[in-house]
Amino acid sequence: MQVDGLPYRAVSWNTRRGGVEWIEQRLLPHRFEAVVSGDPEDVAVAIETMQVRGAPSIGAAAAFGLALAWQKDAPRFHSHWLPRMRATRPTAVNLFHACDAMAKCSESAASPTRMLECAQAYADAEVERNRAIGEHLAPMLARGRRRILTHCNAGWLAAVDWGTATSGIYHLAQAGEKPFVWVDETRPRLQGARLTAWELAQEGIACRIQADAAAAWMMAKGEVDAVVVGADRIARNGDVANKIGTYALSLAAREHGVPMYVAAPSSTFDPACPDGHAIPIEMRDDSEVLMMDGIDDGGQGHRVRIAAAGVAANNPAFDVTPFRNVSAIVSEHGVWQPA
Ligand code: MRU
């Protein structure tokens, strides 16, 4: 999608420099910077530290990182690099699908060029899936006054391009509708406030950031026509793991009769996982809850503590929304139903 009018992908291969390129998401919205590295360890660290985040972008970064690992260190591809990449984050299943795809590619072809082609094909397929999701989702979002609530960042930064949830919003806008988006700030990492709102503004879509706790109240007041979120893993029975807070949103949406849609490419489905109980939920560092990053009026970055020293935090990064709370799960094939 666009940044200052120019097209970008969240993760790509930089041919000129022979490395993986990613947008450093931790700097946004205050600074837009792309990083290029020819070291697969840098790619693994970028996923671990959330420079690259969001399920499909994590998968694409791992795919390119593994193509790089094959170029630089093929003898340790299976013994070191595959397990290294798989260990970067636990919840988004796209990571594991990408690692499996690259492992398969390494068995049949085993040339650096072929491995890079496989990674590129993986990323391109993800982009096409996201675009197709938007075509199915847009008519479902064309309700009432087109006031759509979203949580976390299920935008192009999280999904290589288009986004998953935002793909429907962009298709709606391209069809001449005028969607308005309530953006949950999404504590503790604030992916909504920092990333989704920035993406929407770049595309000229009207939005407002709100505290997560405002969502249920806005639904109660009839100010929300639909909720749309992404997913990090969808179990065989349709239970959805997504950013912490999604489950609470689903309860409020059900209570107030607001449709709640989950948008996810097929790479986010995990048929090996019977239900939500089997989805590993990442626990992250206390500091994400206890500290806050931002810039002052002079543009200087600061990290400040917002809680009393010595108080601990609880920081599950994801939750599971039972399928019964979801109005529809939309993939590139249309509305998905558990078998
Ligand atoms: O911890 P993050 O920022 O990687 O979590 C991301 C999300 O929960 C997104 O909403 C999810 O990956 C769906 S994105 C297309």
Side-chain angles (χ1 to χ4, degrees), residues 124-137:
D124 290 345
E126 207 66 314
V127 171
E128 174 49 28
R129 287 192 275 259
N130 294 336
R131 191 201 58 73
I133 286 172
E135 282 184 352
H136 296 294
L137 190 57

Side-chain angles (χ1 to χ4, degrees), residues 89 188 242-244 281-284 288 315-319:
R89 291 194 71 188
N242 192 49
K243 182 54 56 192
I244 191 77
I281 299 295
E282 178 178 17
M283 293 298 295
R284 293 190 60 90
E288 291 185 347
N315 190 13
F318 300 94
D319 58 26

Side-chain angles (χ1 to χ4, degrees), residues 25 47 50 52-58 89 92 94 130 151-160 163-165 186 189 191 195 229-233 241-244 246 263-265 268 282 284 317-318:
Q25 298 191 32
I47 298 171
M50 293 176 68
V52 175
R53 31 73 44 214
S57 286
I58 290 171
R89 291 194 71 188
N94 309 56
N130 294 336
H151 189 73
C152 193
N153 173 247
W156 68 269
L157 288 164
V160 190
T164 55
T186 318
R189 294 285 296 228
Q191 290 95 329
L195 304 176
V229 295
D232 288 82
R233 192 184 296 229
N242 192 49
K243 182 54 56 192
I244 191 77
T246 304
T268 302
E282 178 178 17
R284 293 190 60 90
F318 300 94

Side-chain angles (χ1 to χ4, degrees), residues 76-96:
R76 293 203 308 150
F77 181 82
H78 288 96
S79 62
H80 176 74
W81 290 110
L82 268 174
R84 172 74 185 101
M85 228 39 103
R86 284 186 208 277
T88 49
R89 291 194 71 188
T91 303
V93 77
N94 309 56
L95 170 67
F96 306 98

Side-chain angles (χ1 to χ4, degrees), residues 45 47 145 155 163 169 193 197 203 206 279-280 298-299 323 326:
V45 170
I47 298 171
R145 288 166 53 194
I169 294 168
E203 293 290 329
I279 300 177
F323 182 63
V326 175

